[in-house]
Amino acid sequence: MATGIRRTFNTSGIETGDVGNLIEQMMTSANDSRNRFERKWYDSNFFDDGYHFRYLSRAQNKIVDLSSSLDAGQPIRAIPKASRQIRGIMNLLTANDFVPIVYPENVNKAAFFDPQELMAALQESKRVAKMSGHWLTEEFKNQDIAEKLTQMILLTAKHSVSYMQIWPDAVEEKIRTKVYDAFDIYLMGDMDNIEDQPFVGKCVPKLINEIKANELFDEDQRELISPDNR
């Protein structure tokens, strides 16, 4: 099944001007497959923030707060402390201070006839592993990996899945990491392994001035953008 989808969304034979339409088809297909899993009142950020009795009234075009009309003497906890339960589990999972470990590379002992050369190769392998472990430990701190893992657990508890992107920044020669929730990433919903996905789409919200300042977008189309025009 995955092979058929890959063939459908193959961009190798698509003209440059038609790539945009194909991407729209890909995103629409992914959106349709996850429609029934979209945010609902019981697992949205709105609920997690404690606003159980607030909703957006399309007729009045404003947020209606039903908790203000309830009797103050009556309990208004619709679902018992779900937000605290999520964070309690999250604290348990992140209680341990994880340390990255790099094991020494295996040395082919049969390639060495001199015991001293073999010993030197083993020591060098241990040294490289130790230095790599120190580098990873410092990089974990610099990237705030512990905080990002906490954020991933919270998002996964609310929406069943979350993602962390790790990529090299060629300009600043650094490694970048960022966490996304289930609705920032577009995938085909009928595949369990992300490696089998024919495409991965990332939804990145941008401000109007960021879009207009980005030369990668068509200049004529940028001029047509206004804050009220989606």
Coordinates of all heavy atoms in Angstrom, one line a residue, residues 91-144:
N91 N 5.8 14.0 35.4 CA 6.9 14.2 36.4 C 7.6 12.9 36.7 O 8.8 12.8 36.9 CB 6.3 14.8 37.6 CG 6.0 16.3 37.4 OD1 6.6 17.0 36.6 ND2 5.0 16.8 38.2
L92 N 6.8 11.8 36.8 CA 7.3 10.5 37.0 C 8.3 10.0 35.9 O 9.3 9.5 36.2 CB 6.2 9.4 37.2 CG 5.4 9.5 38.5 CD1 4.2 8.5 38.5 CD2 6.3 9.3 39.7
L93 N 7.9 10.2 34.7 CA 8.7 9.8 33.5 C 10.0 10.6 33.4 O 11.0 10.1 32.9 CB 7.9 9.9 32.2 CG 6.7 9.0 32.1 CD1 5.9 9.3 30.9 CD2 7.1 7.5 32.1
T94 N 10.0 11.9 33.9 CA 11.1 12.7 33.7 C 11.9 12.9 35.0 O 12.8 13.7 35.1 CB 10.7 14.1 33.2 OG1 9.8 14.7 34.1 CG2 10.1 14.0 31.8
A95 N 11.6 12.0 36.0 CA 12.3 12.2 37.3 C 13.7 11.8 37.2 O 14.6 12.4 37.9 CB 11.6 11.3 38.3
N96 N 14.1 10.8 36.4 CA 15.5 10.4 36.3 C 16.2 11.4 35.4 O 15.7 11.9 34.4 CB 15.5 9.0 35.7 CG 14.9 7.9 36.6 OD1 15.1 8.1 37.8 ND2 14.3 6.9 36.0
D97 N 17.5 11.6 35.7 CA 18.4 12.4 35.0 C 19.1 11.6 34.0 O 20.1 10.9 34.3 CB 19.3 13.2 35.9 CG 20.2 14.2 35.1 OD1 19.8 14.5 34.0 OD2 21.1 14.7 35.7
F98 N 18.6 11.5 32.7 CA 19.2 10.7 31.7 C 20.5 11.2 31.2 O 20.7 12.4 31.0 CB 18.2 10.5 30.6 CG 16.9 9.8 30.9 CD1 15.8 10.6 31.1 CD2 16.9 8.5 31.1 CE1 14.6 10.0 31.5 CE2 15.7 7.9 31.5 CZ 14.6 8.6 31.7
V99 N 21.5 10.3 31.1 CA 22.9 10.7 30.7 C 23.2 9.9 29.4 O 23.1 8.6 29.5 CB 23.9 10.4 31.8 CG1 25.3 10.7 31.3 CG2 23.6 11.2 33.0
P100 N 23.5 10.5 28.3 CA 23.9 9.8 27.1 C 25.2 9.0 27.3 O 26.1 9.5 27.8 CB 24.0 10.9 26.0 CG 24.3 12.1 26.8 CD 23.6 12.0 28.1
I101 N 25.2 7.8 26.8 CA 26.4 6.9 27.0 C 26.8 6.5 25.6 O 26.0 6.0 24.8 CB 26.1 5.7 27.8 CG1 25.8 6.1 29.3 CG2 27.3 4.8 27.9 CD1 25.4 5.0 30.2
V102 N 28.1 6.6 25.3 CA 28.7 6.2 24.0 C 29.7 5.1 24.3 O 30.6 5.3 25.1 CB 29.4 7.4 23.3 CG1 30.0 6.9 22.0 CG2 28.4 8.5 23.1
Y103 N 29.4 3.9 23.7 CA 30.3 2.8 24.0 C 31.5 2.9 23.0 O 31.3 3.3 21.8 CB 29.6 1.5 23.8 CG 28.5 1.3 24.9 CD1 27.2 1.6 24.6 CD2 28.9 0.7 26.1 CE1 26.2 1.4 25.6 CE2 27.9 0.5 27.1 CZ 26.6 0.9 26.8 OH 25.7 0.7 27.8
P104 N 32.7 2.4 23.4 CA 33.8 2.4 22.5 C 33.6 1.6 21.2 O 32.9 0.5 21.3 CB 35.0 1.8 23.4 CG 34.5 2.0 24.8 CD 33.0 1.9 24.7
E105 N 34.1 2.0 20.2 CA 34.0 1.3 18.9 C 34.8 0.0 19.0 O 35.9 -0.1 19.6 CB 34.5 2.1 17.7 CG 34.3 1.5 16.4 CD 34.8 2.4 15.3 OE1 35.2 3.5 15.6 OE2 34.7 1.9 14.1
N106 N 34.2 -1.1 18.4 CA 34.9 -2.4 18.5 C 36.2 -2.3 17.7 O 36.2 -1.8 16.5 CB 34.0 -3.5 17.9 CG 32.9 -3.8 18.9 OD1 33.0 -3.7 20.1 ND2 31.8 -4.2 18.3
V107 N 37.3 -2.8 18.3 CA 38.6 -2.9 17.6 C 38.8 -4.3 17.1 O 38.7 -5.3 17.9 CB 39.7 -2.4 18.6 CG1 41.1 -2.5 17.9 CG2 39.5 -1.0 19.0
N108 N 39.2 -4.4 15.8 CA 39.5 -5.7 15.2 C 40.9 -6.2 15.7 O 41.9 -5.7 15.3 CB 39.5 -5.6 13.7 CG 39.7 -7.0 13.1 OD1 39.7 -8.0 13.7 ND2 39.9 -7.0 11.8
K109 N 40.9 -7.0 16.8 CA 42.1 -7.5 17.4 C 43.0 -8.3 16.4 O 44.2 -8.3 16.5 CB 41.8 -8.3 18.6 CG 41.1 -7.5 19.7 CD 40.8 -8.3 20.9 CE 40.1 -7.5 22.0 NZ 39.8 -8.3 23.2
A110 N 42.3 -9.0 15.5 CA 43.1 -9.8 14.5 C 44.0 -9.0 13.6 O 44.9 -9.5 13.0 CB 42.1 -10.7 13.7
A111 N 43.7 -7.7 13.5 CA 44.5 -6.8 12.6 C 45.7 -6.3 13.2 O 46.6 -5.7 12.5 CB 43.6 -5.6 12.1
F112 N 45.9 -6.6 14.5 CA 47.1 -6.1 15.2 C 48.0 -7.3 15.6 O 47.5 -8.3 16.2 CB 46.8 -5.3 16.4 CG 46.0 -4.1 16.1 CD1 44.6 -4.1 16.0 CD2 46.7 -2.9 15.9 CE1 43.9 -2.9 15.8 CE2 46.0 -1.7 15.6 CZ 44.6 -1.7 15.5
F113 N 49.3 -7.2 15.2 CA 50.3 -8.3 15.6 C 51.1 -7.8 16.8 O 51.6 -8.6 17.6 CB 51.2 -8.6 14.4 CG 50.4 -9.1 13.2 CD1 50.1 -8.3 12.1 CD2 50.0 -10.4 13.2 CE1 49.5 -8.7 11.0 CE2 49.3 -10.9 12.0 CZ 49.0 -10.1 11.0
D114 N 51.2 -6.5 17.0 CA 51.9 -6.0 18.1 C 51.0 -5.7 19.2 O 50.0 -4.9 19.1 CB 52.7 -4.7 17.7 CG 53.6 -4.2 18.7 OD1 53.5 -4.7 19.9 OD2 54.4 -3.3 18.4
P115 N 51.2 -6.3 20.4 CA 50.3 -6.0 21.6 C 50.2 -4.6 22.0 O 49.2 -4.1 22.4 CB 50.9 -6.9 22.7 CG 51.7 -7.9 22.0 CD 52.2 -7.3 20.7
Q116 N 51.3 -3.9 21.8 CA 51.3 -2.4 22.2 C 50.5 -1.6 21.2 O 49.7 -0.7 21.7 CB 52.8 -1.9 22.2 CG 53.7 -2.5 23.3 CD 55.0 -1.9 23.3 OE1 55.4 -1.1 22.4 NE2 55.8 -2.2 24.4
E117 N 50.5 -1.9 20.0 CA 49.6 -1.2 19.0 C 48.2 -1.5 19.3 O 47.3 -0.7 19.2 CB 50.0 -1.7 17.6 CG 51.4 -1.2 17.1 CD 51.6 -1.5 15.7 OE1 50.7 -2.2 15.1 OE2 52.7 -1.2 15.1
L118 N 47.9 -2.8 19.7 CA 46.5 -3.2 20.0 C 46.0 -2.4 21.2 O 44.9 -1.9 21.3 CB 46.4 -4.7 20.2 CG 45.1 -5.2 20.7 CD1 44.0 -4.9 19.7 CD2 45.1 -6.7 21.0
M119 N 46.9 -2.3 22.2 CA 46.6 -1.6 23.4 C 46.3 -0.1 23.1 O 45.4 0.5 23.7 CB 47.7 -1.7 24.5 CG 47.4 -1.1 25.8 SD 45.9 -1.8 26.6 CE 46.5 -3.4 26.9
A120 N 47.2 0.5 22.3 CA 47.0 1.9 21.9 C 45.7 2.1 21.2 O 45.0 3.1 21.4 CB 48.2 2.4 21.0
A121 N 45.3 1.2 20.3 CA 44.0 1.3 19.5 C 42.8 1.2 20.5 O 41.9 1.9 20.3 CB 44.0 0.2 18.5
L122 N 42.9 0.3 21.5 CA 41.8 0.2 22.5 C 41.7 1.4 23.3 O 40.6 1.9 23.6 CB 42.1 -1.0 23.4 CG 42.0 -2.4 22.7 CD1 42.5 -3.5 23.7 CD2 40.6 -2.7 22.3
Q123 N 42.8 2.0 23.7 CA 42.8 3.2 24.5 C 42.2 4.4 23.7 O 41.5 5.2 24.2 CB 44.2 3.6 25.0 CG 44.8 2.6 26.0 CD 44.0 2.6 27.3 OE1 43.4 3.6 27.7 NE2 44.0 1.5 28.0
E124 N 42.6 4.4 22.4 CA 42.1 5.5 21.5 C 40.6 5.4 21.3 O 39.8 6.4 21.3 CB 42.8 5.5 20.2 CG 42.3 6.5 19.2 CD 42.5 7.9 19.6 OE1 43.4 8.2 20.5 OE2 41.9 8.8 19.0
S125 N 40.1 4.1 21.2 CA 38.7 3.9 21.1 C 37.9 4.3 22.3 O 36.9 5.0 22.2 CB 38.4 2.4 20.8 OG 37.0 2.2 20.7
K126 N 38.5 4.1 23.5 CA 37.9 4.5 24.7 C 37.9 6.0 24.9 O 36.9 6.6 25.3 CB 38.6 3.9 25.9 CG 38.4 2.4 26.0 CD 39.1 1.8 27.2 CE 38.9 0.3 27.4 NZ 39.6 -0.2 28.5
R127 N 39.0 6.6 24.4 CA 39.1 8.1 24.5 C 38.0 8.8 23.7 O 37.4 9.7 24.1 CB 40.5 8.5 24.1 CG 40.8 10.0 24.4 CD 42.1 10.4 23.7 NE 42.0 10.5 22.3 CZ 41.5 11.5 21.6 NH1 41.0 12.5 22.2 NH2 41.4 11.4 20.3
V128 N 37.9 8.3 22.4 CA 36.9 8.9 21.5 C 35.5 8.7 22.1 O 34.7 9.7 22.0 CB 37.0 8.2 20.1 CG1 35.9 8.7 19.2 CG2 38.4 8.6 19.5
A129 N 35.2 7.6 22.6 CA 33.9 7.3 23.2 C 33.6 8.2 24.4 O 32.5 8.8 24.5 CB 33.7 5.9 23.6
K130 N 34.6 8.4 25.2 CA 34.5 9.3 26.4 C 34.3 10.7 26.0 O 33.4 11.4 26.5 CB 35.7 9.2 27.3 CG 35.6 9.9 28.6 CD 36.9 9.7 29.4 CE 36.8 10.4 30.7 NZ 38.0 10.2 31.6
M131 N 35.1 11.2 25.0 CA 34.9 12.6 24.5 C 33.5 12.8 23.9 O 32.9 13.8 24.0 CB 36.0 12.9 23.6 CG 37.4 12.9 24.2 SD 37.6 14.1 25.6 CE 37.5 15.6 24.7
S132 N 33.1 11.8 23.1 CA 31.8 11.9 22.5 C 30.7 12.0 23.5 O 29.7 12.7 23.3 CB 31.6 10.7 21.5 OG 32.6 10.6 20.5
G133 N 30.8 11.2 24.6 CA 29.8 11.2 25.7 C 29.8 12.6 26.3 O 28.7 13.1 26.6
H134 N 30.9 13.2 26.6 CA 31.0 14.5 27.2 C 30.3 15.5 26.2 O 29.6 16.4 26.7 CB 32.4 14.9 27.4 CG 33.0 14.3 28.6 ND1 32.4 14.2 29.8 CD2 34.2 13.7 28.8 CE1 33.1 13.6 30.7 NE2 34.3 13.2 30.1
W135 N 30.6 15.4 24.9 CA 30.0 16.4 24.0 C 28.5 16.2 23.9 O 27.8 17.2 23.9 CB 30.6 16.1 22.6 CG 30.1 17.1 21.5 CD1 30.5 18.3 21.2 CD2 28.9 16.9 20.7 NE1 29.8 18.9 20.2 CE2 28.8 18.0 19.9 CE3 28.0 15.8 20.5 CZ2 27.8 18.2 19.0 CZ3 27.0 15.9 19.6 CH2 26.9 17.1 18.8
L136 N 28.0 15.0 24.0 CA 26.5 14.8 23.9 C 25.9 15.3 25.2 O 24.8 15.9 25.2 CB 26.2 13.3 23.8 CG 26.4 12.7 22.4 CD1 26.2 11.2 22.5 CD2 25.4 13.3 21.5
T137 N 26.6 15.1 26.4 CA 26.0 15.6 27.6 C 25.9 17.1 27.6 O 24.8 17.7 28.0 CB 26.9 15.2 28.8 OG1 27.0 13.8 28.8 CG2 26.4 15.7 30.1
E138 N 26.9 17.8 27.1 CA 26.9 19.3 27.0 C 25.8 19.7 26.0 O 25.1 20.7 26.2 CB 28.2 19.8 26.6 CG 29.3 19.7 27.7 CD 28.9 20.4 29.0 OE1 28.3 21.5 28.9 OE2 29.0 19.8 30.1
E139 N 25.7 19.0 24.9 CA 24.7 19.3 23.8 C 23.3 19.1 24.4 O 22.4 19.9 24.0 CB 25.0 18.5 22.6 CG 24.2 19.0 21.3 CD 24.7 20.3 20.9 OE1 25.8 20.8 21.2 OE2 23.9 21.0 20.1
F140 N 23.1 18.1 25.2 CA 21.8 17.9 25.8 C 21.4 19.1 26.6 O 20.2 19.6 26.6 CB 21.8 16.7 26.6 CG 21.3 15.4 25.9 CD1 21.9 15.1 24.7 CD2 20.3 14.6 26.5 CE1 21.4 13.9 24.0 CE2 19.9 13.5 25.8 CZ 20.4 13.1 24.6
K141 N 22.4 19.7 27.3 CA 22.1 20.9 28.2 C 21.9 22.1 27.3 O 20.9 22.9 27.5 CB 23.3 21.1 29.1 CG 23.5 20.0 30.2 CD 24.7 20.3 31.0 CE 24.9 19.2 32.1 NZ 26.1 19.5 32.9
N142 N 22.7 22.3 26.3 CA 22.6 23.4 25.4 C 21.2 23.4 24.6 O 20.7 24.5 24.4 CB 23.7 23.5 24.4 CG 25.1 23.7 25.1 OD1 25.1 24.2 26.2 ND2 26.2 23.3 24.5
Q143 N 20.8 22.3 24.3 CA 19.6 22.1 23.5 C 18.3 22.1 24.4 O 17.2 22.0 23.9 CB 19.6 20.9 22.6 CG 20.7 20.9 21.5 CD 20.3 21.8 20.4 OE1 19.1 22.1 20.2 NE2 21.2 22.1 19.6
D144 N 18.5 22.1 25.7 CA 17.4 21.9 26.7 C 16.6 20.7 26.3 O 15.3 20.7 26.3 CB 16.5 23.2 26.6 CG 17.2 24.4 27.1 OD1 18.0 24.3 28.0 OD2 16.9 25.5 26.5

